[in-house]
Every structure is written in structure tokens, then in C-alpha cells.
Amino acid sequence: MAVSVTAALLIIGDEILTGRTKDKNIGYIAEYLTGIGVDLREVRVVPDVEEEIVAAVNALRHRYTYLFTTGGIGPTHDDITADCIAKAFGVGIDHDPRAVAILRERYTPDELNEARLRMARIPDGADLIENPISKAPGFRIGNVFVMAGVPSIMQAMLDNIAPTLETGARMIIENIEAEGLAEGIYAEGLGQIASSFPSVSIGSYPSFSTSGFRNQIVVRGKEPEAVARAAAAVRDHLARLKGDQAPL
């Protein structure tokens, strides 16, 4: 039986919900985790509201192997993620000497004001996550990884996190082109195939380009034999339909 390691992603910030900032992290994190054998099962977006962040953190960290958060660890008054994580875990929070030392490497004494020192407030018992770009660290407490929202910084943090993660079997993916066939033609048979292979996920994804509609069927799973058999069944199904449509 393939081992499953699961994760959730919590995106924190009013700017995401208002549309002022367009999220660029979901797709990157999803692809990254899939590639190393961690299944991203849920994504939530919450505003900069303490009770909503705490509730989401506690719900997701108990439901999945890992919880990743992005956003809300900067120097301004609305950067409240660290405080919310501490509250969720029921621990204290203060300026962490390790984080303060890191910030002193980047800022002069005059530059390291109270606002910037906010970025050194870390929940008690947390481990730091290195930030090679702007130095201000993220942190890990329990199964929760707290990262910056800026994509380049988040990506660097994720690279540092990845070697510490437990990972499961990697996803096997088969892409099958349904050339010349509309979804409505192959949908019923595709559903029957999906029912026959419960350990495999089968999805149909239409798209449109200047050359017309394109339908692609994607077969996903962690058991190589099941994925191969399901993909073969899909190809046979499409071939029969194309044969039925061939002119006499």
C-alpha cells in the first residue's frame, strides 16, 4: 500500500481576499509538494483576523500531516501570524535571540527599529527556517511551517524545509489526449472506468486555443500497475469511440 503524507496550505492576508495581491504561491507549492511525495489536500485563505487564523491553524494542523502558512510575518501592525500561531499552540512569544542575531547581520543598529524587530518575534519552542534572501526567518512549530508571502522568499524557505519532511510515494501521472472527441461523448465511459479503479484519480480537462478545443484526460495514482491499467482502459475507450465516428 502506498504511503500517503498529506498537507494543507493556509494563505493569510486581506490583500489576497480583496484582489489587491494576486496569489502566486498556491500553484508553486502544490507542484513542489507533489514532486516530493506530499499530497496537498486543502488550501484556505483567511483575512488578517486573529480568531480566524487561530481557528484555521488548529483545524488544519490536526487534520493533515503538515500545515504550511504564507503571509503575515513582516514588520507592520497587521502582520499577526506569529502571534496567532503562538495562541493556537498555547505557548508564549517573544523576541528570539537567534532571530535578533540574524537581523543584526542585515541591519545597522539605527536601522533595526521596533518594527523590524517584530520579525524576530518567534513562538516559544519553534525552530527557525532560514531566509537567505531578506534574512528575516520563518519558523516551524510542531507540524506547522510558517513562511513569508513574498514568492521568492517563500520558495527559498521551502527549499530549506523540504529535506526535513517525511514524504510518501510520489504521484504517477499519465496524460492522454482525447483528440477529436468532446467530453460529452466519452464522459459516461470515463465515469465507469473511474469506478473500476478506486485507487486512481481520473479527470477530464478541456481547454481552448486558437486551434480549437482540446480535451486532455489525466490519470493519477501512486500504484504503478493500477495507473497503467486505468490509462490503458481510457485509451481503449477513446479508440473505440473514434472508430465509431469513422466514416464508412
Side-chain angles (χ1 to χ4, degrees):
M1 186 71 176
V3 176
S4 180
V5 178
T6 61
L9 171 61
L10 181 62
I11 299 170
I12 299 166
D14 292 342
E15 68 277 11
I16 300 294
L17 290 168
T18 62
R20 184 183 183 281
T21 298
K22 307 299 186 289
D23 177 80
K24 297 180 180 179
N25 292 329
I26 295 175
Y28 185 92
I29 292 172
E31 186 174 10
Y32 193 107
L33 294 180
T34 297
I36 64 173
V38 176
D39 299 334
L40 183 62
R41 294 285 181 82
E42 185 173 348
V43 177
R44 292 194 194 183
V45 184
V46 295
D48 298 311
V49 176
E50 181 183 280
E51 58 266 30
E52 295 198 32
I53 298 171
V54 172
V57 167
N58 280 330
L60 296 171
R61 72 185 177 96
H62 290 303
R63 188 174 302 159
Y64 302 104
T65 311
Y66 299 118
L67 169 62
F68 299 87
T69 79
T70 64
I73 58 172
T76 61
H77 70 281
D78 57 344
D79 288 312
I80 60 173
T81 297
D83 294 272
C84 293
I85 298 291
K87 187 169 183 177
F89 277 85
V91 301
I93 183 171
D94 204 344
H95 293 107
D96 187 300
R98 300 167 298 173
V100 172
I102 290 170
L103 293 180
R104 282 177 175 158
E105 293 177 3
R106 169 163 185 170
Y107 300 106
T108 67
D110 289 341
E111 293 173 333
L112 191 54
N113 55 26
E114 285 301 314
R116 287 177 170 140
L117 278 171
R118 282 178 56 81
M119 297 186 291
R121 298 179 73 252
I122 306 293
D124 295 345
D127 296 319
L128 301 186
I129 299 172
E130 183 184 355
N131 169 7
I133 296 178
S134 62
K135 294 300 182 183
F139 60 87
R140 173 186 183 167
I141 181 168
N143 64 337
V144 179
F145 296 86
V146 178
M147 303 183 292
V150 177
S152 60
I153 299 175
M154 181 281 297
Q155 291 168 20
M157 288 183 173
L158 196 55
D159 283 338
N160 287 317
I161 290 167
T164 72
L165 299 176
E166 174 189 356
T167 57
R170 296 191 181 189
M171 192 71 69
I172 301 164
I173 301 174
E174 290 267 8
N175 298 310
I176 301 166
E177 296 290 340
E179 296 178 3
L181 293 174
E183 281 189 305
I185 295 174
Y186 60 74
E188 183 178 354
L190 196 66
Q192 293 170 355
I193 294 169
S195 297
S196 300
F197 296 93
S199 67
V200 174
S201 170
I202 301 176
S204 177
Y205 304 98
S207 60
F208 186 77
S209 66
T210 53
S211 59
F213 279 104
R214 174 191 181 194
N215 289 321
Q216 187 175 65
I217 297 169
V218 180
V219 181
R220 304 181 184 89
K222 296 191 173 183
E223 299 172 7
E225 183 179 352
V227 172
R229 289 172 56 214
V234 170
R235 291 188 177 97
D236 288 345
H237 174 53
L238 298 178
R240 285 195 299 272
L241 291 175
K242 289 178 183 178
D244 291 341
Q245 288 189 343
L248 298 176

